[in-house]
Structures are given as structure tokens and as C-alpha cells.
Amino acid sequence: MTASEKKIEHSTEESSATASINIPPVDPEVPQIDGEAWDEKSTKRLLWRLDTHIIPFMSLIYLLCFLDRTNIGNARLDSLEQDLHLTGLQYNDCLAILFPFYIAAEIPSNVILKLVRPSIWLTFIMVCWSASMIGQGFVKSYSGLLATRVFLGIFEGGLFPGVNYYITQWYRRDECGFRMAMFFSAATLAGAFGGILARGIAEMSGVAGLSAWSWIFILEGLLSILVSGVAYWAICDYPATAGFLSPAERTEVLRRLQADSGHLSNEYDPKYVWQALKDWKIYIHCLICMAGFCPIYSFSLFLPTIIKNMGYTANNAQLMSVPPYVCACFFTVTASWFADKYKRRGIFLLAFQVVGIAGFAMLAAAGSPSIQYAGTVLAAIGIYPQIPLGLAWNSGNIGGSLKRGTGIAMQVMGGNCGGIIASYVYLTRDQPRFIKGHSILIGFVSMAFFLTLFMMIWCKRENARRDAVALAANGTSGKKEELTEDEKRMEAELADDVPWFRYTV
């Protein structure tokens, strides 16, 4: 996106931004362009334009974010603990301290994102976390490492929920899952690149008097700084101000979003935040997300250590950590593509949760290094797809822009509580097999399985109930054909409790 494109007038609310475009008064159910209907080919071309301008850069910055957050697991194999004289649970404390601040930043960050242009806010937090990452390379003590991890958590906390909310401002509900998976797959690539980079950077031990672990933090932080230098121009704000779209294409993107959300509110009003905070369904998704993130953080923070304890050298363990992430990346993207195609989430979540349980069971029960390593691959395949599937399920089942943004932030907050737990799952005293840690993660994934099953059953029954009510009232199980202005205003206030809203199962 060029600097001139950034000069397009932008409002602090998507609703007023939408108003800046003269949208013709057409039926939202009938796609049109220049007076003629859009066909499937032109819609696919439009989505391709959105995908190529939005997803690649969002994926890149999340790759760097996740890499900066978890590269401490790679640094541990290059004498981090010995150089900083960490003893007992101090290393685990340094992992855990990031997450309370990360969690605390999530809802405020999404509210700020609603008020401030994404290109400004996401660039700002990226510069700040990159500076924290570089500073982490120069720490000399336990307290210094704790302090830099605190700042890292504060500034990284806004990215993941922010980008997931941002994606919902461009795509329909049934299109978000695949895009969220493309974005989240960067986390698996971060794990793969982290191992390769750490292996190469290990050769810099002693350069400028710094250990290899210091160079891991410094160089990867510098890489993030370089990317943040172009982020302001690379991040598109909202459809109404997208310079890469023609006026007709902007109109069509907004029409598609309007047809998907109906008369649900896109305005900023704190009451929609409270609607999300009082919605019990979001808390169930928080628990599912926590049970997904706990094994993911455990995996990413400790996988090099787990593989090293299978009998590999430190350098070989860095490289052997790559294949599980590559497999996880493939299944993360593929699963969400099929979930979008069939408009189902729960059944895919259940399937991958079973695979994850099997992987951790192999790690806990098998004594053979080859079977254990196969278990790491299965575990990675089982746990990583759960996050984009779960996020798309929750966000697609929340009506209204601000309530959705708050609900996504709540879900990610709940998920990252799993990061605090993950920091203490694999303890030094449980080496080399970490049977207790693997067993704990089996328990968490099993909890996610039963909560997912419960939500599937509830959504299906609630949809059936609403169909029956609508059939009795209107003679049809779908949306009313015509609404009065009072009914439209009422629906704008009801979010996903609106009578015509149907939950994705």
C-alpha cells in the first residue's frame, strides 16, 4: 500500500468509514457491480485480491511475533541458564511472567484497534516488542530476563486477537476460518524457522563477547524491527479505505459483509463490550482455547529440550524440531480450508483433538526414541489446527462488530492462560521422559474434546429451536423477508440473539 493511499479519509469507526463510500441502494442479497450482478468468477477474483494484500503480511508479522516469544526454548540449549545462573524453577518463571501481561493487553488492544487505524496500532506494538526482544539479548541476570519478558508480553499481547478481529472486517463468516489458519500457520513456520536459525546462530557464540543465546534474541529482534519499518505502508486499514480496491470492489466487499451480518451493529458503544462479557458461550470457547494453547506453548517452549533428551546433541535437536512443525503447518491450513468449505467447525476440532491425545500418549508410554519422535509429529498435527478452527468458530458465532472484537480478545485471553500453565508442565526434575508433563497435556486436550462436543450439541439444538420459532411466526425457518425500521434497530441491539442468526456447528 502506498503512502498516497494512506491519505484516504479514515474514520475511527468502521460504520462511518463505510459511509464515506456512496453505496447504491441495492438488495444486499444480490451482488452487483456497475449495475450488473457479480458472478462466481469475479467474486473469486475479488477474494484473491483481498488474500494477496492482507494475509501474507499479517502472517509474516505473526511469524516474527511467535518466533520472538518462543525462541527462548532454542536459546536454552545454548547455555542460557548457565550464563544467567538460573536455578530451580527460575527458567520456568521467566517463561510464565510473559503471559499475565500478554493477557492483560488483549481486550484493551482490540478496543484501541477499533478506535485507531490498524496500520498505526499494529506498527506501534511491533516496534515496541522488537525493541524488547533486542534488549533481551543483553541481559545479564535473572531479574533482567524477567523484565524484558514482561515488556515483550505487554506489546505482543495485542497482535493475535487484533489480527483475528481485523480479518473479520474483510471476510464473511464462512470465509474467515481458512484465512485465520493461513495467518496462524505462521506459528508453525516460526517453530520450524526457529530451529534452523538457532542452529546457524549457534556458530556465532563468542562474537563481540556475546553468547549464542544472546545473538538469537538480538538478530531475531532486529529482523522484526526491519519488517516493522514497512508495516505502516504494508497494512491496509479497512475495506472502505482500501486503496488497492476499485470503488466498485470496495462497495462489493462492504455489501458482502452487510449481507452476512444483516442489521447487527458496527458502532462503538461500551454496551457491546458488556454483551460479550456476559455471554456464557464465549467462556466455553475460552476454556477450549486454553486447552489448545497450553499444549502448543508447552510444545514450542520445550520441544528442543524434549528431543535432546531422546539422545540427540543440542545442534541436532534444533534441526530435529523442524519436521513436526512442517507437518502441523500443512494440516492447519488444510483442515481450515475443508472446514470453511463444509461450514463446519466442531467435527474437525474433535478429530484433531483425538490425534493430539494419541501423540502425547505415545510420548508418555513409549520408551523408544523413534516412537517418541513420531509422537511429537502426531501431537503437533493434533494441537496446532485447533486454534484457527476454534477462533473461526467463536468469531463466526458472535454477532456485531464490537462484541465480536471483544469476544475474540476474551477467547485469546483465556487461551493464553494456558501459557502460564504450559511454563510449568515440563519441569527439569521430570527429565528425561517428562511423563507427568505429557499426561497433563492429555488431560487438557481431553477437556477440550468434551467441551467441543457440548458446544456442537448446543448449537445444533439452538438452531433447531430458532427454526421452529421462525416457522411458527413467519411460515419459514429463515430470515424475515421485510423488516420495519424499529425491527432493524431492535436487531442491531440483539447481536447473535437476533431471531434470524444461526450458529455454525
Side-chain angles (χ1 to χ4, degrees):
M1 190 172 186
T2 64
S4 62
E5 290 167 351
K6 287 287 181 181
K7 295 180 181 178
I8 297 175
E9 185 65 28
H10 178 86
S11 168
T12 58
E13 299 178 353
E14 291 93 326
S15 57
S16 54
T18 301
S20 68
I21 292 180
N22 184 23
I23 303 178
V26 297
D27 185 346
E29 299 298 331
V30 181
Q32 298 186 0
I33 178 170
D34 298 332
E36 297 183 4
W38 282 67
D39 57 17
E40 184 179 352
K41 183 178 179 180
S42 59
T43 299
K44 286 183 177 179
R45 186 165 57 247
L46 174 63
L47 289 174
W48 175 253
R49 286 179 64 79
L50 296 181
D51 291 342
T52 54
H53 283 82
I54 296 170
I55 303 303
F57 195 77
M58 291 294 108
S59 299
L60 174 61
I61 60 177
Y62 188 62
L63 184 153
L64 296 172
C65 175
F66 202 83
L67 184 64
D68 289 344
R69 190 185 325 155
T70 60
N71 57 12
I72 191 171
N74 300 105
R76 186 187 193 188
L77 298 189
D78 288 315
S79 304
L80 170 71
E81 290 176 289
Q82 293 84 343
D83 290 354
L84 297 184
H85 309 293
L86 304 183
T87 58
L89 293 177
Q90 288 184 330
Y91 172 77
N92 303 81
D93 294 338
C94 291
L95 302 182
I97 194 67
L98 176 145
F99 292 102
F101 296 92
Y102 186 104
I103 292 165
E106 289 175 334
I107 287 182
S109 179
N110 261 22
V111 173
I112 293 172
L113 189 65
K114 178 77 175 178
L115 300 173
V116 179
R117 288 160 50 184
S119 56
I120 295 175
W121 180 244
L122 296 180
T123 299
F124 170 75
I125 62 175
M126 189 175 188
V127 170
C128 292
W129 94 58
S130 302
S132 303
M133 188 76 259
I134 293 170
Q136 193 167 296
F138 293 98
V139 299
K140 302 296 182 183
S141 65
Y142 168 62
S143 58
L145 184 58
L146 281 176
T148 54
R149 296 286 290 178
V150 166
F151 284 106
L152 195 63
I154 291 171
F155 295 117
E156 284 197 342
L159 182 68
F160 188 71
V163 174
N164 278 284
Y165 168 67
Y166 174 73
I167 287 173
T168 68
Q169 303 305 295
W170 292 83
Y171 297 95
R172 297 187 322 190
R173 290 187 297 157
D174 61 338
E175 297 164 346
C176 286
F178 179 63
R179 277 77 189 181
M180 289 178 179
M182 291 291 291
F183 159 64
F184 186 74
S185 67
T188 63
L189 294 178
F193 287 136
I196 296 171
L197 290 173
R199 175 62 186 89
I201 296 173
E203 301 301 322
M204 295 183 63
S205 182
V207 174
L210 296 174
S211 299
W213 62 264
S214 292
W215 283 113
I216 289 175
F217 296 145
I218 293 169
L219 292 179
E220 293 178 3
L222 286 172
L223 179 60
S224 299
I225 282 283
L226 289 174
V227 174
S228 69
V230 300
Y232 177 79
W233 293 274
I235 297 173
C236 309
D237 288 317
Y238 292 110
T241 59
F244 68 89
L245 296 176
S246 69
E249 288 172 330
R250 293 178 207 159
T251 299
E252 172 60 8
V253 171
L254 294 168
R255 185 208 64 79
R256 298 174 83 250
L257 293 173
Q258 181 185 358
D260 192 45
S261 62
H263 306 292
L264 297 176
S265 175
N266 286 318
E267 297 180 357
Y268 177 83
D269 191 318
K271 67 184 178 184
Y272 299 122
V273 175
W274 288 110
Q275 278 186 359
L277 292 174
K278 294 185 291 184
D279 191 336
W280 65 268
K281 299 184 296 297
I282 297 176
Y283 290 98
I284 298 294
H285 282 287
C286 286
L287 290 174
I288 294 173
C289 194
M290 182 188 73
F293 264 123
C294 182
I296 283 176
Y297 280 125
S298 299
F299 200 82
S300 58
L301 292 170
F302 291 96
L303 182 60
T305 300
I306 292 170
I307 294 176
K308 183 174 182 289
N309 283 326
M310 292 178 188
Y312 296 96
T313 64
N315 285 339
N316 285 340
Q318 302 279 28
L319 295 176
M320 291 292 287
S321 67
V322 174
Y325 289 113
V326 174
C327 295
C329 181
F330 173 78
F331 281 95
T332 296
V333 174
T334 303
S336 288
W337 186 86
F338 279 106
D340 275 2
K341 179 179 179 180
Y342 294 106
K343 297 179 175 58
R344 294 289 184 270
R345 309 291 179 196
I347 190 65
F348 289 92
L349 275 168
L350 292 176
F352 282 103
Q353 285 155 358
V354 170
V355 173
I357 291 170
F360 286 114
M362 290 170 66
L363 280 164
S368 167
S370 59
I371 296 177
Q372 289 178 358
Y373 187 75
T376 66
V377 175
L378 276 183
I381 291 172
I383 59 179
Y384 277 93
Q386 292 182 46
I387 302 305
L389 287 170
L391 284 167
W393 196 16
N394 182 46
S395 64
N397 283 344
I398 301 175
S401 176
L402 184 57
K403 182 182 178 183
R404 183 183 302 118
T406 305
I408 292 171
M410 289 169 60
Q411 183 183 16
V412 178
M413 281 179 66
N416 281 291
C417 289
I420 301 174
I421 301 168
S423 302
Y424 297 98
V425 166
Y426 294 116
L427 302 178
T428 303
R429 63 171 177 260
D430 296 328
Q431 293 186 107
R433 292 285 308 282
F434 295 110
I435 293 175
K436 185 182 295 185
H438 299 321
S439 301
I440 291 172
L441 296 183
I442 290 172
F444 271 98
V445 181
S446 298
M447 179 182 78
F449 179 90
F450 288 108
L451 289 174
T452 301
L453 184 61
F454 167 77
M455 284 306 300
M456 280 183 64
I457 294 171
W458 185 89
C459 289
K460 187 173 182 178
R461 289 183 175 178
E462 178 63 12
N463 287 345
R465 185 191 70 81
R466 294 186 183 190
D467 284 343
V469 171
L471 186 62
N474 310 318
T476 175
S477 60
K479 178 182 176 181
K480 286 180 66 176
E481 292 296 329
E482 296 292 338
L483 297 177
T484 67
E485 289 302 315
D486 287 340
E487 287 174 327
K488 290 178 182 179
R489 283 192 292 270
M490 180 185 70
E491 286 195 329
E493 302 299 312
L494 292 176
D496 46 274
D497 288 327
V498 71
W500 55 263
F501 192 96
R502 295 297 179 270
Y503 293 102
T504 301
V505 179

